[in-house]
Amino acid sequence: MPLYKTISFNSNTQIYVWKITESYEQLQKEVVLNENSSLRLSSMKSVMHQCGFLSVRNLLQEAGYSDTDLYYDPSGKPHLKDNKYISITHSHHFSAIIISDVAVGIDIELQRVKIIKIAHKFCDLEFEYLNTQTDDFIRKLTVIWGAKEAVFKIQNEKGISFKNHIYVYPFELNVKQNASKLKFESIEKDFKIHFREIENFTLVYVFED
């Protein structure tokens, strides 16, 4: 299907979401890739990853850009040639991008039971307010993971630990926004978190406060 959802956060920030229902061939014929992107695509062994990659390029076109407008720095962080900020995510059959005049990060995650088994790897102080016995435990863990992933995408510093350096404050799912703090070496920053659920996925986008 084409564009699944557009979210206009404000006049300076837009989010574009794609639900991948097309084949690889259908997605590929809609975009023109630069040489580096063509090489990256051909090196991917998973069709799911290839389709995620191509759906992001389709989203760029929906936002008025092309693949040639996108480049990556040595750390792998994406940038746009017009100096607007961009962040990219894809998971299974959903992908999303956020484009803004300010630093942003975005993540989309499938809500899965397996996140419980790895929660100790990315949560620490959050366990003080999480209730492992409630029905929303998996959904809250998915928000926390997505928020930390999005914060990391903004800061993108080698050595940052989700568990030890990024804290997500207590929140309720019905409020759909929250806050986070990053403390890493000499860096201390606050972030605003926004999230929503799309089918059985959680979309999280983050701004520096």
Side-chain angles (χ1 to χ4, degrees):
M1 69 182 290
L3 183 68
Y4 179 80
K5 185 185 289 288
T6 302
I7 303 165
S8 292
F9 181 79
N10 56 34
S11 60
N12 299 318
T13 305
Q14 283 75 43
I15 298 132
Y16 303 84
V17 182
W18 193 280
K19 185 175 182 180
I20 305 167
T21 59
E22 306 88 345
S23 67
Y24 170 87
E25 290 75 19
Q26 288 173 311
L27 288 166
Q28 187 181 39
K29 73 179 182 180
E30 298 297 329
V31 294
V32 177
L33 301 179
N34 63 40
E35 184 178 354
N36 286 337
S37 290
S38 295
L39 290 171
R40 283 186 63 191
L41 181 64
S42 63
S43 70
M44 295 177 183
K45 296 180 180 179
S46 164
V47 174
M48 183 175 69
H49 289 158
Q50 290 176 326
C51 287
F53 182 89
L54 289 169
S55 67
V56 166
R57 271 64 196 170
N58 277 273
L59 285 174
L60 279 172
Q61 292 186 167
E62 293 285 349
Y65 294 91
S66 70
D67 186 52
T68 58
D69 295 316
L70 180 72
Y71 69 97
Y72 294 82
D73 65 23
S75 70
K77 187 173 182 176
H79 299 269
L80 290 169
K81 289 182 179 178
D82 66 0
N83 294 321
K84 281 186 176 287
Y85 293 89
I86 184 171
S87 186
I88 294 169
T89 184
H90 54 83
S91 175
H92 297 269
H93 56 273
F94 273 104
S95 62
I97 63 173
I98 185 169
I99 297 173
S100 181
D101 292 344
V102 298
V104 287
I106 195 169
D107 191 57
I108 191 165
E109 297 289 340
L110 176 63
Q111 298 166 3
R112 295 185 287 181
V113 174
K114 67 179 293 185
I115 198 170
I116 295 173
K117 294 182 178 179
I118 62 169
H120 66 282
K121 295 183 177 180
F122 65 90
C123 290
D124 184 19
L125 297 177
E126 290 85 4
F127 283 120
E128 294 179 0
Y129 64 80
L130 286 169
N131 186 339
T132 62
Q133 303 304 312
T134 57
D135 293 338
D136 61 8
F137 182 47
I138 291 171
R139 294 164 64 202
K140 282 194 168 185
L141 282 176
T142 308
V143 172
I144 292 168
W145 172 267
K148 294 190 178 193
E149 182 72 40
V151 166
F152 180 79
K153 286 180 178 180
I154 293 176
Q155 194 60 42
N156 205 34
E157 296 274 348
K158 186 177 180 180
I160 290 176
S161 161
F162 284 16
K163 179 176 180 175
N164 300 320
H165 302 133
I166 306 172
Y167 174 64
V168 175
Y169 290 96
F171 65 97
E172 297 300 330
L173 290 170
N174 62 327
V175 177
K176 301 190 185 309
Q177 60 184 11
N178 192 20
S180 179
K181 180 178 285 291
L182 168 68
K183 295 179 72 174
F184 174 66
E185 296 180 347
S186 61
I187 300 168
E188 186 167 341
K189 291 184 178 181
D190 295 308
F191 297 86
K192 293 180 179 178
I193 300 167
H194 299 267
F195 60 89
R196 61 177 64 202
E197 294 177 316
I198 300 174
E199 297 182 9
N200 57 336
F201 286 74
T202 300
L203 177 71
V204 186
Y205 40 102
V206 171
F207 304 83
E208 286 190 34
D209 195 353

